Amino acid sequence: MAFREDLDTLVLAVLQSGPMHGYEISRRIRELSEKVLSAGEGKLYPCLHKLEQDGYVQAEWIPQENRPARKVYSLTDKGSGAIVEKRKAWEAFATGVTAILNPPKPEASHG
Amino acid sequence: MAFREDLDTLVLAVLQSGPMHGYEISRRIRELSEKVLSAGEGKLYPCLHKLEQDGYVQAEWIPQENRPARKVYSLTDKGSGAIVEKRKAWEAFATGVTAILNPPKPEASHG
DNA sequence: AATCATACATCAGGTTTTGAGGTATTTGGG
DNA sequence: CCCAAATACCTCAAAACCTGATGTATGATT
């Protein structure tokens, strides 16, 4: 058991820095979080495909010379808009966890 | 996809308020988090059993009159100690997510 | 007679994640 | 030359996990 991130939220959030290909999204998640979070390829690519399919991001293949082509993703309007809700969901979650981690103390006897 | 809590952490944390039976732990998690988090019975009881087995909590059956007996859990020293680490893990996680939700802005052209 | 709340617990079925594998190229060490 | 690691995409089987239902038992409420 461990806390687990919502990869959709993370992917959409990193794309706020500008268009980016999958491998880089993965790298940024690892680096920005100082290795606390990681988006393994086994779930990153399926996540990206779903996000594209649902219209949160759009993708374009950019050929490279002497390197594999890149599929560059960028936020759509729908994707940008969704970040607002996702951020709220994160805040609610974090508030909830914090409330439990800082529970009301047991009654101290005082007299 | 959604953010997901580490139930171990939550259970140990609520037990800081004092010994408590499973059903109440579940209620508190729901209430303290204002319904953002919930520990369904299907995962709470297995979690509690594992925590007991691993020595993080100890349990005692308390019979009730005309009601089902309660299994009251309390933190062991090991359990109390573990909270420190779990809290750190939460903070690292939250810091990581926050870092990604507030990413460096794309270079604004400034010339 | 239902239904809800208390209070424990399990389990089938579904979803998700992990980790390995697959393709293809460049760079760097030995 | 060969091996490993980094870049860059992607898939899939096996394992892990969660949801929601079910089961037991009683009291209060409608």
Side-chain angles (χ1 to χ4, degrees), chain B residues 7 10-11 14-15 18-30 38-49 51-52 57-62 68-74:
Chain B
L7 194 50
L10 265 27
V11 167
V14 302
L15 284 175
M20 215 175 295
H21 55 92
Y23 199 77
E24 197 186 349
I25 293 171
S26 166
R27 221 192 300 131
R28 292 231 186 168
I29 288 177
R30 211 182 322 113
S38 72
E41 307 190 343
K43 67 175 168 173
L44 176 65
Y45 290 113
C47 170
L48 246 11
H49 299 157
L51 249 18
E52 186 182 0
V57 299
Q58 58 193 170
E60 194 191 352
W61 279 101
I62 308 285
R70 289 166 166 175
K71 196 170 178 185
V72 172
Y73 293 89
S74 40

Side-chain angles (χ1 to χ4, degrees), chain B residues 2-17:
Chain B
F3 287 101
R4 195 175 301 161
E5 76 283 353
D6 177 5
L7 194 50
D8 287 8
T9 300
L10 265 27
V11 167
L12 259 20
V14 302
L15 284 175
Q16 286 178 115
S17 298

Side-chain angles (χ1 to χ4, degrees), chain A residues 22-42:
Chain A
Y23 200 78
E24 198 186 348
I25 293 173
S26 164
R27 224 191 298 130
R28 291 230 187 169
I29 289 177
R30 212 183 318 113
E31 283 165 17
L32 286 171
S33 72
E34 305 192 49
K35 290 181 184 161
V36 174
L37 305 171
S38 71
E41 307 191 345

Side-chain angles (χ1 to χ4, degrees), chain A:
Chain A
M1 280 182 209
F3 287 101
R4 195 177 304 160
E5 76 284 352
D6 177 6
L7 193 50
D8 287 8
T9 300
L10 266 27
V11 167
L12 259 21
V14 302
L15 285 176
Q16 288 179 113
S17 298
M20 214 176 293
H21 55 94
Y23 200 78
E24 198 186 348
I25 293 173
S26 164
R27 224 191 298 130
R28 291 230 187 169
I29 289 177
R30 212 183 318 113
E31 283 165 17
L32 286 171
S33 72
E34 305 192 49
K35 290 181 184 161
V36 174
L37 305 171
S38 71
E41 307 191 345
K43 67 176 169 174
L44 177 65
Y45 290 112
C47 170
L48 246 11
H49 300 158
K50 181 134 208 308
L51 249 17
E52 185 182 1
Q53 209 182 299
D54 295 348
Y56 293 97
V57 299
Q58 57 193 169
E60 195 190 352
W61 279 101
I62 310 283
Q64 307 275 298
E65 273 182 47
N66 300 331
R67 258 179 205 75
R70 290 165 164 177
K71 197 171 178 184
V72 171
Y73 293 90
S74 41
L75 286 174
T76 59
D77 287 348
K78 185 176 175 185
S80 297
I83 293 176
V84 178
E85 293 308 310
K86 299 245 176 217
R87 202 183 276 274
K88 275 186 203 156
W90 160 251
E91 269 153 33
F93 179 83
T95 301
V97 173
T98 302
I100 291 167
L101 288 184
N102 303 308
K105 296 259 169 51
E107 282 302 303
S109 65
H110 52 120

Side-chain angles (χ1 to χ4, degrees), chain B residues 31-87:
Chain B
E31 284 164 17
L32 286 171
S33 72
E34 304 191 50
K35 290 178 185 163
V36 174
L37 304 171
S38 72
E41 307 190 343
K43 67 175 168 173
L44 176 65
Y45 290 113
C47 170
L48 246 11
H49 299 157
K50 181 134 208 307
L51 249 18
E52 186 182 0
Q53 211 183 298
D54 295 348
Y56 293 98
V57 299
Q58 58 193 170
E60 194 191 352
W61 279 101
I62 308 285
Q64 307 276 297
E65 274 182 47
N66 300 330
R67 259 179 204 76
R70 289 166 166 175
K71 196 170 178 185
V72 172
Y73 293 89
S74 40
L75 287 173
T76 60
D77 287 348
K78 184 176 176 186
S80 296
I83 293 176
V84 178
E85 293 309 309
K86 299 247 174 212
R87 200 182 278 275

